[in-house]
Amino acid sequence: MCGIVGYTGALEAAPILLDGLKKLEYRGYDSAGIAVLGKDGIEVSKVSGRIENLVEKTEGGRLLPGNAGIGHTRWATHGAPTDVNAHPHVSNDGRFAVVHNGIIENYIDLRDELIKNGYASISETDTEVIVHLIEMYYAGDIKRAVIKASSRLSGSYALGVVCTDAPHSVFVARERSPLILGVGLGENYFASDVTALVSHTRNAIYLDDDEFAELTPDSITVFNCAGQPVEKSVSRIAWDIQAAEKGGYEHFMLKEIVEQPRAVKAAIAPRIKDGEVVLEGAEMSKEYLSGISKIVITACGSAYYAGCAGRFAIEKLCRVPVKTDLASELRYDDPLIDEKTLLIVLSQSGETADTIAALREGQKRGAKTLAIVNVVGSTIAKAADYTLYTYAGPEIAVATTKGYTTQLAVLYLFALYAAKKMGRIDKERYDSLLSSLQAMPRRIQEAVDMNPNIPALAKKYHKSRSVFFMGRNTDYSVALEGALKMKEISYLHAEAYAAGELKHGTIALIEDKQPVVALCCNDRITEKTMSNIVEVKARGAEVLALTYRENKKMVALADDTMFIPLVETLLSAIVEIVPLQLLAYYVAKENGCDIDKPKNLAKSVTVE
Ligand code: F6R
C-alpha cells in the first residue's frame, strides 16, 4: 500500500527517486509524484497512472533539478487516484512537502481543526493534514515540528518530509508502516522496502515505531519523540540487485514461479543438519510443545491458504488440533486463544495490517507467537516471539507464488520439528518425510517441466467467464489458492469448492463447456473426487484434471490434464500449486492483463 523513497546527496535527486519508485511500484500504482528541493524552493510533479507517466512528465527527472527530495507511488485509500490527490502534498506556505504510506484515522477531526486555524486543504486525502500540521507547529525547528505533528496522528504512517529551510536534509517518521534508511557514502536514502535501496547501498538501518530521523548527505540522526538521539545498528541487506530485476523474463510473476525450486531449497536446506530439522529462531522445548492444547494459524489471502494446506501436516504429525483463522476476522471473534495456544502467523511482507492485529490479539491473550515471514526486519518478524524467515528473496509480482510455497516449506519443517520434539512421530516416518521434503525443490522443477501444454490449455480456456476449482482434503486447500491466482491476475471469476460440496448448490451453475479444474493428487480419496468429476461432466463441464501421470483412470476421464510428479500426499500442496500458478499466468497473458500489477491490488496490504 503505497511506496515512499527519499534521497539526499551530491547527485541529482529526481532520477534516483524515479528509479526507486519503479522498484516500489508493486506496492501501489494508481498515481505517483516527487518533490525536489530546488534553487527556488520545492518543485513538485505528480500524475495519475503509472510511474512511466511521471518519468515522461519530468523528462526522466531533468525538469526538477536539485540534490534532495522525496517520492511516492500510491494505492488510493482516501480520494480517487487523481493528480491532486497524488503525493507529495505541500504546505500552504510552500515550505514543506510530505509523502506518506499508511492511514491517518483521525484526519477528519484534524482537517476541521486546521481549517478553523486557516489552513486550506485541496485534496481529499488523509495525508494532507500532516503537512499542514507540520506547518502549524513550525517555529524554526523542523525536527520539533515533525515530532509534534506526528503526536497528533492516529493510525499508521511512514513519512518523508522536506523543508526549504534545510535544503540538504530529508526527515522521516515511522509508526506501524515500514521504513528503512539506506546508508551511503556522501549520500543517504530512505525507502519503504529494501528493493529500492539495493542498487545504491547494502547498508541499512531499520527504523522502529515512534522513531524519527534526519538524513543529510553525510549523516543520519535517529531520534525519539522527545527529540533525543537513538543508537541504531547498521544491518547488511542480503538480497542482491538481480533478485529484484526481471532477468530476461517477460514478467516478475513468471520469474518467481520458475524460481521456486531455488527459493524452497533456500527455505529448507539450511534448516536440516545431520538428518534433523533445526529451527534457529524458533527453538521450542519439549515441555512447551507438549503443553500446548492447540495451534491457530492466521494470515490473509494466499498466506492464509498456505496455512490451510500446512495445517494438515502439523495436525497429522503432531496430533494437536490446528485451526486456521483469517487474520481479518480473528480479533472480532473473541477467539479461544490463551497461553496454551501457539499462534502461527504467516506473512510474506510482514506488514499486513490485519495479520499484525491478529498477532497482537494473540499476544494479548497470552499465546506464544511464531511468525513465518519473508521480509527481514518487518513489523511481524520483529513483534513475534519466534520468527522463521522464508528466505524467498524479493517477491515483486503482486500475486504471490514463491511466497506461498516457501511459507508451506517452513510449515512442513515446523510440523516435523514439533512432532519429533513431542515424541509423536517414529524415526522411520520422520526420516522418510524429511527426505521427501528435501526432494521438493526437484519435484517442483519437475512440475514446471512436465506441463509444456499449459500455454495451449490457456488458449483453450481463457475466454470462459468463470472457472471452478475442486478437490478434497489437501487438494481442496490447493484449489483455494489456485482459484485466487486465477481471479486476481486474469480477472476470470474463479471459485474453489470442496468437491463433495458442489452438489449441495453450486452444481446449478454447471452448464455446457463450463471449465472445472479438478485436483486429484490425494490417493486416499481419488475415487471420491472422480465421482464428483463424473457428476459435473454429466452436466456438460469440461474437466481439466491436475493429477499424477500414473493415475490412468483420471487421465482417461478428464478432458485435459496437468501433471505433478509422485510425491508424499501430506506434503503435496507445495508441488500441486505450481501448474495452477502457470495456468493462471498463461490465461492472464492470453487475456492481455497487466500480470505483475493486477488492477485494484497492491502487494503489501497495510490497511485493515
Ligand atoms: C495473493 C496475495 C495476497 C497475499 C496477502 C497477504 O496472491 O499475494 O493474498 O497473500 O495479501 O500478504 P502477506 O503474505 O504479505 O501478509
Side-chain angles (χ1 to χ4, degrees), residues 300-303 346-350 352 398-400 407 484-485 488 605:
C300 295
S302 293
L346 302 174
S347 178
Q348 188 284 129
S349 63
T352 301
V398 165
T400 186
Q407 283 163 354
L484 181 62
K485 287 282 93 69
E488 69 183 328
V605 185

Side-chain angles (χ1 to χ4, degrees), residues 175-465:
E175 177 67 31
R176 290 163 55 201
S177 280
L179 194 64
I180 301 144
L181 311 182
V183 185
L185 265 183
E187 55 186 11
N188 288 306
Y189 305 80
F190 74 81
S192 301
D193 133 5
V194 294
T195 48
L197 300 175
V198 280
S199 57
H200 306 291
T201 177
R202 291 292 195 84
N203 296 326
I205 295 174
Y206 291 86
L207 275 201
D208 286 308
D209 283 348
D210 223 6
E211 285 182 345
F212 303 81
E214 177 179 2
L215 285 65
T216 69
D218 301 309
S219 67
I220 292 182
T221 320
V222 179
F223 47 98
N224 62 19
C225 56
Q228 286 155 344
V230 177
E231 277 294 312
K232 299 292 285 185
S233 55
V234 176
S235 313
R236 223 34 216 154
I237 302 171
W239 291 351
D240 58 24
I241 303 164
Q242 289 85 346
E245 307 280 345
K246 270 194 212 150
Y249 288 91
E250 197 177 344
H251 297 99
F252 277 110
M253 183 173 179
L254 185 59
K255 175 182 178 242
E256 288 161 8
I257 291 173
V258 302
E259 232 167 50
Q260 288 178 109
R262 191 152 51 84
V264 168
K265 190 167 179 190
I268 295 175
R271 293 184 167 126
I272 300 179
K273 293 188 183 134
D274 303 325
E276 295 273 330
V277 177
V278 179
L279 294 184
E280 249 170 66
E283 284 116 356
M284 296 178 196
S285 67
K286 178 177 177 164
E287 292 64 43
Y288 167 68
L289 283 166
S290 306
I292 57 182
S293 61
K294 66 169 165 309
I295 293 175
V296 175
I297 304 179
T298 191
C300 295
S302 293
Y304 173 72
Y305 293 145
C308 294
R311 176 183 80 80
F312 291 96
I314 302 177
E315 197 166 73
K316 295 286 159 308
L317 299 178
C318 301
R319 310 307 301 168
V320 174
V322 183
K323 184 171 180 269
T324 50
D325 244 341
L326 284 164
S328 51
E329 292 285 326
L330 181 135
R331 67 194 183 285
Y332 305 117
D333 193 27
D334 192 12
L336 295 176
I337 292 179
D338 56 24
E339 57 289 342
K340 290 185 133 202
T341 309
L342 172 64
L343 182 67
I344 302 183
V345 172
L346 302 174
S347 178
Q348 188 284 129
S349 63
E351 300 293 348
T352 301
D354 281 316
T355 312
I356 296 171
L359 172 105
R360 297 206 161 113
E361 182 70 32
Q363 288 178 326
K364 206 169 79 193
R365 288 169 185 260
K368 284 249 183 283
T369 51
L370 163 63
I372 298 176
V373 177
N374 190 34
V375 176
V376 174
S378 55
T379 303
I380 292 175
K382 287 201 279 194
D385 299 291
Y386 307 102
T387 296
L388 292 172
Y389 286 112
T390 52
Y391 303 135
E395 192 180 61
I396 309 290
V398 165
T400 186
T401 51
K402 62 177 180 170
Y404 169 92
T405 43
T406 51
Q407 283 163 354
L408 258 178
V410 177
L411 283 172
Y412 293 156
L413 282 167
F414 175 76
L416 281 168
Y417 172 84
K420 176 98 190 278
K421 272 267 153 113
M422 294 155 92
R424 306 222 169 131
I425 186 168
D426 63 46
K427 178 154 173 31
E428 201 184 325
R429 178 101 169 110
Y430 180 85
D431 288 347
S432 138
L433 283 170
L434 195 57
S435 63
S436 297
L437 190 52
Q438 281 176 295
M440 282 308 171
R442 278 197 308 273
R443 301 286 99 88
I444 292 172
Q445 187 60 54
E446 285 162 25
V448 172
D449 296 340
M450 68 204 297
N451 289 293
N453 60 333
I454 289 180
L457 292 173
K459 274 199 192 325
K460 174 173 172 185
Y461 290 109
H462 76 105
K463 288 210 176 103
S464 312
R465 278 190 29 236

